[in-house]
Amino acid sequence: MRSLLIIRMEKNIYDPDQIASGMIYPELLLGNNGYQVLVADGDDSSTAVLKMLSEADAAILDLPIEDIPDWEKLLSQSRPIPMLWWCSPDTASESVEACETEIAIDGILTPTMRDRELHWALHFAARQCIERQQWISERKQLQSRLEERKWIDMAKGILADMKQISEAEAYDLLRKKAMNERKRMVDVATAIVKAHQLLQS
């Protein structure tokens, strides 16, 4: 992981006094540790941000936590990419109540990190991102199966009621019809339920 995209709400103008007092900006810290850094801010269009994102290995969100969900939606339009939160006094001070927000953050970077700490934080964020994507995929598959099961159960109930047979027999009837028509069982079940609802209305 060598190229990082930093996202913040507004253009950051380096204040020499803040730097002298020890204020650390993420692009300075990461750049000084050998990372190639791109910066996107609130003035950049979503197209420009997505173009920069295509060149980056991870996104660093220099934002209060409550602003992350909007950026998360935009970033998810591109490709799965590790997202890390830049936890500085500025971003953390406004974010205490927002800690319960459901956000897809794979790691945290802080201004006090050294080169090895940065390396490992980015490494583990990449692994966390892969696991998060697998979890999202598995969740979608489970939701799809539950939805299919719902249609099949409704169709079974309708067939059992109409033909005065058991639900097991209705299931077999549904399965045979799907095989004969070379369709998925859920498609046959959905058609039965919708036809029944149409006749009932």
Side-chain angles (χ1 to χ4, degrees), residues 3 12 34 62 69 83 91 112 117 119 140 144 162 166 198:
S3 181
N12 202 10
D62 184 9
M83 289 186 276
T91 59
T112 58
E117 293 166 330
H119 166 77
K140 282 181 183 172
S144 176
M162 286 176 60
S166 71
L198 186 65

Side-chain angles (χ1 to χ4, degrees), residues 27-78:
E27 55 268 46
L28 294 177
L29 179 65
L30 294 162
N32 289 341
N33 281 285
Y35 293 96
Q36 179 186 349
V37 178
L38 305 164
V39 179
D41 59 53
D43 294 338
D44 290 317
S45 70
S46 57
T47 307
V49 172
L50 291 175
K51 185 177 184 314
M52 284 188 261
L53 189 66
S54 69
E55 301 169 20
D57 298 317
I60 313 300
L61 305 172
D62 184 9
L63 308 162
I65 285 181
E66 56 267 19
D67 294 336
I68 291 175
D70 293 335
W71 282 99
E72 184 186 328
K73 274 185 205 165
L74 175 65
L75 299 180
S76 66
Q77 293 173 17
S78 177

Side-chain angles (χ1 to χ4, degrees), residues 109-157:
L109 297 180
T110 66
T112 58
M113 285 181 157
R114 295 202 166 93
D115 60 347
R116 290 229 176 243
E117 293 166 330
L118 289 169
H119 166 77
W120 286 112
L122 290 164
H123 172 76
F124 285 117
R127 289 181 54 187
Q128 177 65 28
C129 178
I130 291 167
E131 288 178 17
R132 180 169 51 87
Q133 293 307 316
Q134 288 172 340
W135 179 83
I136 289 169
S137 175
E138 288 170 10
R139 184 177 173 202
K140 282 181 183 172
Q141 287 174 7
L142 285 172
Q143 286 173 328
S144 176
R145 283 191 207 141
L146 284 171
E147 187 66 18
E148 288 178 6
R149 188 80 242 162
K150 180 185 84 171
W151 287 106
I152 290 168
D153 285 346
M154 285 193 290
K156 266 190 339 190

Side-chain angles (χ1 to χ4, degrees), residues 3-22:
S3 181
L4 308 172
L5 173 62
I6 295 169
I7 297 173
R8 61 170 54 96
M9 288 305 291
E10 53 195 39
K11 281 200 185 303
N12 202 10
I13 299 166
Y14 295 127
D15 182 340
D17 294 334
Q18 284 183 322
I19 292 172
S21 70

